Amino acid sequence: MKKVTNFIRRKSLIYKTAVEYGDYTINHVQGCSHGCRYPCYAFLMAKRFGKVKSYEQWVEPSLVENALELLDKEIPKFKDKINSLHLCFTTDPFMYKYDEISNISIEIIKK
Ligand code: SF4
């Protein structure tokens, strides 16, 4: 097993996606330990928008530490607007060997 060592706080979690088949989405992890080289579109976007500086930083996932807290505030706000909510567009929410990430993904699904 691997432990998450990087944590970030966000001001919001649920957002309307511009992806054509999507509605709303949640991304509670930044980065992805799989580190696919084909290349990964999520990595390219994270780099372009300054969320990560390098491939090495990308493959060390950062967990949004206030994800559940934000959902408690945002679910009542968005519940009448949401048709579907993707978990998640920018990484693997059940990342291999990262139980902390899988566990929080399950908690999010429960909510
Ligand atoms: S987000 Fe998807 S494509 Fe990108 S590194 Fe992770 S598994 Fe690979």
Side-chain angles (χ1 to χ4, degrees):
M1 284 305 129
K2 290 186 175 178
K3 276 198 81 63
V4 175
T5 53
N6 305 315
F7 295 90
I8 47 178
R9 284 190 77 79
R10 292 245 172 94
K11 289 185 180 162
S12 61
L13 199 66
I14 296 175
Y15 69 94
K16 182 88 175 159
T17 176
V19 175
E20 64 192 39
Y21 55 83
D23 185 27
Y24 285 81
T25 192
I26 294 174
N27 293 306
H28 61 293
V29 182
Q30 184 174 286
C32 185
S33 65
H34 297 299
C36 307
R37 298 268 195 184
Y38 10 98
C40 165
Y41 181 75
F43 166 59
L44 294 178
M45 290 299 105
K47 201 157 175 244
R48 179 171 166 192
F49 292 107
K51 291 183 177 172
V52 295
K53 289 188 172 64
S54 63
Y55 177 82
E56 290 68 29
Q57 187 183 358
W58 173 254
V59 295
E60 289 291 330
S62 299
L63 190 56
V64 176
E65 62 183 0
N66 59 335
L68 298 175
E69 190 184 308
L70 286 170
L71 279 184
D72 286 341
K73 286 185 199 157
E74 293 178 353
I75 288 171
K77 191 170 137 191
F78 288 106
K79 68 176 184 184
D80 295 329
K81 296 179 182 165
I82 294 171
N83 288 316
S84 66
L85 186 58
H86 274 89
L87 173 85
C88 37
F89 273 135
T90 61
T91 190
D92 175 5
F94 293 96
M95 211 174 289
Y96 182 60
K97 290 191 174 173
Y98 281 91
D99 277 4
E100 273 169 292
I101 291 176
S102 298
N103 290 340
I104 195 165
S105 298
I106 289 167
E107 289 308 308
I108 288 172
I109 290 167
K110 283 183 188 165
K111 282 188 182 289

